[in-house]
Amino acid sequence: MTHTSSTDMRVQPKRPLLQRLAGACEPYLYSAPSLVLIATVMLVPLALGLSYAFRDVQILNPFSGGFIGLDHFRALSQDQAFYRALRNTLWWTGASVFLQFFFGLILALLLDKPFRGRGIAQALVFLPWAVPTFLTGLNWAWLFNPVIGPLPHWLFALGLLDEPGNILSDPQLAMWGPIVANVWWGIPFFAITLLAALQAIPRDLYEAAAIDGAGPFQRFRSITLPFLAPTIAITVLLRTVWISNFADLIIVMTNGGPADRTQIVASYIFTQAFKRLDFGYASAISMVLLVLLLVYSMLIVLLRQTMLNRD
Amino acid sequence: MTAKSMVLTVAHRLAILAYIVFALFPLFWLLKVSLTPNDLLYSEGVRMWPSRVSFDHFRFVVAHSDFPIFFRNSLIVAGSTAIVVTILASLSGYALSRFAFRAKYWIVALMLLTQMFPLVMLVAPIFKMLSPLGLTNSLTGLVIVYSAFNVPFATFLMQSFFDGIPKDLEEAAKIDGATQFTAFRQIILPLTLPGIAATIGFVFTAAWSELLFALMLISGNDAATFPVGLLSFVSKFSVDFGQMMAAGVLALIPACVFFFLIQRYLVQGLTAGAVKG
């Protein structure tokens, strides 16, 4: 009796150990397929791309591929088109994010009030989000086309244009084309996320404030805004990064033209890789963009830290 | 109702109406031009609706152009991507939802990072990697690339759906002798079906819209997806506006169908990582 129980005690810890091992492996087994795919299709090319930045990689030139050190970066520092693309990226991102956020917030506030037919209204105003970006770009390019679209004639009738021409071929105005398309396409994103945050605000807060005599503007400032602030901060910061990399609309509508006036860094990278097949130079620009985005993210983290410390 | 609140209500409805008009007008114009016969296209350029409607452009696009092939290719690519991603993402989303393990933090960090960095910088190296494998100019290559791009976002989305299902269910099943995987397959997955449908919808829409990698990786007409075909059509026949817009309307259909399917889950989808906005 005593003997068997002592062997039992010796054997028993073994099984839980195996089980524990299997249990410890289990989450890794579930996530392995996704991780392997991400690693091979995203991390390996990322590393490869970083190496191209220091090599001469041109698809059309079979003798290319050699290590050339910092040559690409030297060329880049002289490249006026690149500096223009950097300025354009700021303008494109700033205007798009601001307008999308502004109109998205108003839309969210409008939809937060219950009314008859809200469901269908919501579905209709959010529809642009589902329109594929290439079609958004083409659609707006056609609207801006004086032959087929109404916009140039309307803008001319309003006195905003001297003649009903295509703003996409006007160097001064071309950037507005992709920006308007981007705003049209992106308003739903802000409206949806802000609406979700609005609906999470407890209703009795507003009632209490109204009883205490707070007007609508005061209620907005001291209840709505503070509740929305975290959502606003996160969505605006993430969207800024996303939109600064968002080249589809520009590629479709203007291809960076006229005279590089709508070229942003992301579309410049794509043009270098796709049109000129100069993968080395494209990768060098990518690396600079990556560093800039890292700096931006670090600034956000720092900002967050100082805000947290202050509280 | 006082006069003031009447005015406010009317202003509110008008503002909503303005948004609806702004949202729908470009799509309306797309439809309008695609239905306008060629002889009226220029003479009635800015009229809101043509005096005569014809389906000739649609008939031509469906019968005499390569768009049916592009449409089929896009369906294959977007459909396969949606299925592959949803399978992978339900596994990894389940791991993130149900297990506390050491690498979890790093997995989440990695997946978040992939949502942030510019995918356009991968265009060149991915082309270089896929070309010796014979995966450029192939639908399989596109499916692999799109799957990888969409897995992180879909993982977060599936995780949020799993988080909404109580853990007691698996615990009860395990007491009855089931392994965790059996419990996952037979109890949790069936309960997540609406979430799975939403994930399929989101990934399908994203893969259907993708442009840059398709442009880079596909060169021939045989493997061209809809965006590639439409853009090459636009640059070749840039005066056939009616046909281009008829093709555009066709590209819109699947996206709209899936949009109305996933509408209820938009908030969850957009907060889960926002792959396409």
Side-chain angles (χ1 to χ4, degrees), chain B residues 198-233:
Chain B
T199 309
I200 289 180
F202 274 104
V203 178
F204 185 94
T205 331
W208 183 269
S209 317
E210 208 285 333
L211 170 69
L212 299 188
F213 282 82
L215 274 179
M216 187 74 211
L217 295 175
I218 305 290
S219 51
N221 256 358
D222 294 340
T225 54
F226 212 96
V228 178
L230 187 57
L231 279 191
S232 70
F233 187 84

Coordinates of all heavy atoms in Angstrom, one line a residue, chain B residues 198-233:
Chain B
A198 N -18.4 38.6 -41.0 CA -17.9 40.0 -41.0 C -16.4 40.1 -41.5 O -16.1 40.9 -42.3 CB -18.1 40.7 -39.7
T199 N -15.6 39.2 -40.9 CA -14.2 39.2 -41.3 C -14.0 38.9 -42.7 O -13.2 39.5 -43.4 CB -13.4 38.1 -40.4 OG1 -13.8 38.3 -39.1 CG2 -11.9 38.2 -40.6
I200 N -14.7 37.9 -43.2 CA -14.7 37.6 -44.7 C -15.0 38.8 -45.5 O -14.4 39.2 -46.4 CB -15.6 36.4 -45.0 CG1 -15.1 35.1 -44.4 CG2 -15.8 36.3 -46.5 CD1 -15.9 33.9 -44.7
G201 N -16.1 39.5 -45.1 CA -16.5 40.7 -45.8 C -15.4 41.8 -45.8 O -15.2 42.4 -46.8
F202 N -14.8 42.1 -44.6 CA -13.8 43.1 -44.6 C -12.6 42.7 -45.4 O -12.1 43.6 -46.2 CB -13.3 43.3 -43.1 CG -14.2 44.2 -42.3 CD1 -15.1 43.7 -41.4 CD2 -14.1 45.6 -42.5 CE1 -15.9 44.6 -40.6 CE2 -14.9 46.4 -41.8 CZ -15.8 45.9 -40.9
V203 N -12.2 41.5 -45.3 CA -11.0 41.1 -46.1 C -11.3 41.1 -47.6 O -10.5 41.5 -48.4 CB -10.4 39.7 -45.6 CG1 -9.3 39.3 -46.5 CG2 -10.1 39.8 -44.2
F204 N -12.5 40.6 -47.9 CA -12.9 40.6 -49.4 C -12.8 42.0 -49.9 O -12.2 42.3 -51.0 CB -14.3 40.0 -49.5 CG -14.7 39.9 -51.0 CD1 -14.5 38.7 -51.6 CD2 -15.2 40.9 -51.7 CE1 -14.9 38.5 -53.0 CE2 -15.6 40.8 -53.0 CZ -15.4 39.6 -53.6
T205 N -13.4 43.0 -49.2 CA -13.5 44.4 -49.7 C -12.0 44.9 -49.8 O -11.7 45.6 -50.8 CB -14.2 45.3 -48.7 OG1 -15.2 44.5 -48.0 CG2 -14.9 46.4 -49.4
A206 N -11.2 44.6 -48.9 CA -9.8 45.1 -48.9 C -9.1 44.5 -50.1 O -8.4 45.3 -50.9 CB -9.1 44.8 -47.6
A207 N -9.2 43.2 -50.3 CA -8.5 42.6 -51.4 C -9.1 43.0 -52.8 O -8.3 43.2 -53.7 CB -8.6 41.1 -51.3
W208 N -10.4 43.2 -52.8 CA -11.0 43.7 -54.1 C -10.5 45.0 -54.5 O -10.4 45.4 -55.7 CB -12.5 43.7 -53.9 CG -13.3 44.1 -55.1 CD1 -13.6 45.3 -55.5 CD2 -13.7 43.2 -56.1 NE1 -14.3 45.3 -56.7 CE2 -14.4 44.0 -57.1 CE3 -13.7 41.8 -56.3 CZ2 -15.0 43.4 -58.2 CZ3 -14.3 41.3 -57.4 CH2 -14.9 42.1 -58.4
S209 N -10.1 45.9 -53.5 CA -9.7 47.3 -53.8 C -8.3 47.4 -54.1 O -7.8 48.5 -54.6 CB -10.1 48.2 -52.7 OG -11.3 47.9 -52.2
E210 N -7.4 46.4 -53.7 CA -6.0 46.7 -53.7 C -5.5 47.0 -55.1 O -5.9 46.3 -56.1 CB -5.3 45.4 -53.2 CG -3.9 45.8 -52.5 CD -2.8 46.1 -53.5 OE1 -2.9 45.7 -54.7 OE2 -1.9 46.9 -53.2
L211 N -4.6 48.0 -55.2 CA -4.2 48.4 -56.6 C -2.7 48.3 -56.8 O -2.3 47.7 -57.8 CB -4.6 49.9 -56.7 CG -4.1 50.6 -58.0 CD1 -4.7 50.1 -59.2 CD2 -4.3 52.1 -57.8
L212 N -1.9 48.9 -55.9 CA -0.5 49.1 -56.2 C 0.3 47.7 -56.4 O 1.0 47.6 -57.4 CB 0.2 49.8 -55.0 CG -0.4 51.2 -54.8 CD1 0.5 52.0 -53.8 CD2 -0.4 52.0 -56.1
F213 N 0.0 46.7 -55.5 CA 0.7 45.5 -55.7 C 0.2 44.7 -56.9 O 1.0 44.1 -57.6 CB 0.6 44.6 -54.4 CG 1.5 45.1 -53.4 CD1 1.2 46.1 -52.5 CD2 2.8 44.5 -53.2 CE1 2.1 46.6 -51.6 CE2 3.6 44.9 -52.2 CZ 3.3 46.0 -51.4
A214 N -1.1 44.9 -57.2 CA -1.6 44.2 -58.4 C -0.9 44.9 -59.7 O -0.5 44.1 -60.6 CB -3.1 44.4 -58.5
L215 N -0.8 46.2 -59.7 CA -0.1 46.8 -60.8 C 1.3 46.4 -61.0 O 1.7 46.1 -62.1 CB -0.1 48.4 -60.6 CG -1.3 49.2 -61.0 CD1 -1.1 50.6 -60.6 CD2 -1.6 49.0 -62.5
M216 N 2.0 46.2 -59.9 CA 3.4 45.8 -59.9 C 3.6 44.4 -60.3 O 4.4 44.0 -61.1 CB 4.0 46.1 -58.6 CG 5.5 45.9 -58.5 SD 6.4 47.3 -59.3 CE 7.8 46.5 -60.0
L217 N 2.8 43.5 -59.7 CA 3.0 42.1 -59.9 C 2.4 41.5 -61.2 O 2.8 40.4 -61.6 CB 2.5 41.3 -58.7 CG 3.2 41.6 -57.4 CD1 2.5 40.9 -56.2 CD2 4.6 41.2 -57.4
I218 N 1.3 42.2 -61.7 CA 0.6 41.6 -62.8 C 0.9 42.4 -64.1 O 0.9 43.6 -64.0 CB -0.9 41.6 -62.6 CG1 -1.3 40.9 -61.3 CG2 -1.6 41.0 -63.8 CD1 -1.1 39.5 -61.3
S219 N 1.3 41.8 -65.2 CA 1.6 42.6 -66.4 C 0.6 42.2 -67.5 O 0.3 43.0 -68.3 CB 3.0 42.5 -66.8 OG 3.4 41.1 -66.9
G220 N 0.3 40.9 -67.6 CA -0.6 40.5 -68.8 C -2.0 40.6 -68.5 O -2.4 40.9 -67.3
N221 N -2.9 40.5 -69.5 CA -4.3 40.6 -69.3 C -4.9 39.4 -68.6 O -5.9 39.5 -68.0 CB -5.0 40.8 -70.7 CG -5.4 42.2 -71.0 OD1 -5.2 43.1 -70.1 ND2 -5.9 42.5 -72.1
D222 N -4.2 38.2 -68.8 CA -4.8 37.0 -68.3 C -5.0 37.0 -66.8 O -6.0 36.4 -66.3 CB -4.0 35.8 -68.7 CG -4.0 35.6 -70.2 OD1 -4.9 36.2 -70.9 OD2 -3.1 35.0 -70.8
A223 N -4.0 37.5 -66.1 CA -4.1 37.5 -64.7 C -4.4 38.8 -64.0 O -4.3 39.0 -62.8 CB -2.7 37.0 -64.1
A224 N -4.8 39.8 -64.9 CA -5.1 41.1 -64.4 C -6.4 41.1 -63.5 O -7.4 40.5 -63.8 CB -5.3 42.1 -65.5
T225 N -6.3 41.8 -62.4 CA -7.5 42.0 -61.5 C -8.2 43.2 -62.0 O -7.7 43.9 -62.9 CB -7.1 42.2 -60.1 OG1 -6.2 43.3 -60.0 CG2 -6.5 40.9 -59.5
F226 N -9.4 43.4 -61.5 CA -10.2 44.5 -62.0 C -9.6 45.9 -62.0 O -9.6 46.6 -63.0 CB -11.6 44.6 -61.2 CG -12.7 45.0 -62.0 CD1 -13.5 44.1 -62.6 CD2 -12.9 46.4 -62.3 CE1 -14.6 44.5 -63.4 CE2 -13.9 46.8 -63.1 CZ -14.8 45.9 -63.7
P227 N -8.9 46.3 -60.9 CA -8.3 47.6 -60.9 C -7.2 47.7 -62.0 O -7.2 48.7 -62.7 CB -7.7 47.8 -59.5 CG -8.0 46.5 -58.8 CD -8.9 45.7 -59.5
V228 N -6.4 46.7 -62.2 CA -5.4 46.7 -63.2 C -6.0 46.8 -64.6 O -5.6 47.6 -65.4 CB -4.5 45.4 -63.1 CG1 -3.4 45.4 -64.2 CG2 -3.8 45.3 -61.8
G229 N -7.0 46.0 -64.8 CA -7.7 46.0 -66.1 C -8.3 47.4 -66.4 O -8.2 47.9 -67.5
L230 N -9.0 47.9 -65.4 CA -9.7 49.2 -65.6 C -8.7 50.3 -65.9 O -8.9 51.1 -66.8 CB -10.5 49.5 -64.4 CG -11.5 50.7 -64.5 CD1 -12.4 50.6 -65.6 CD2 -12.2 50.9 -63.2
L231 N -7.6 50.3 -65.1 CA -6.6 51.4 -65.4 C -5.9 51.3 -66.7 O -5.7 52.3 -67.4 CB -5.5 51.4 -64.3 CG -5.9 52.0 -63.0 CD1 -4.7 52.2 -62.1 CD2 -6.6 53.4 -63.2
S232 N -5.7 50.0 -67.2 CA -5.0 49.9 -68.5 C -6.1 50.3 -69.6 O -5.7 50.9 -70.6 CB -4.5 48.5 -68.7 OG -5.5 47.6 -68.9
F233 N -7.3 50.0 -69.4 CA -8.4 50.4 -70.3 C -8.5 51.9 -70.4 O -8.5 52.5 -71.4 CB -9.7 49.8 -69.8 CG -10.8 50.0 -70.8 CD1 -11.0 49.1 -71.8 CD2 -11.7 51.1 -70.6 CE1 -12.1 49.3 -72.7 CE2 -12.8 51.2 -71.5 CZ -12.9 50.4 -72.6

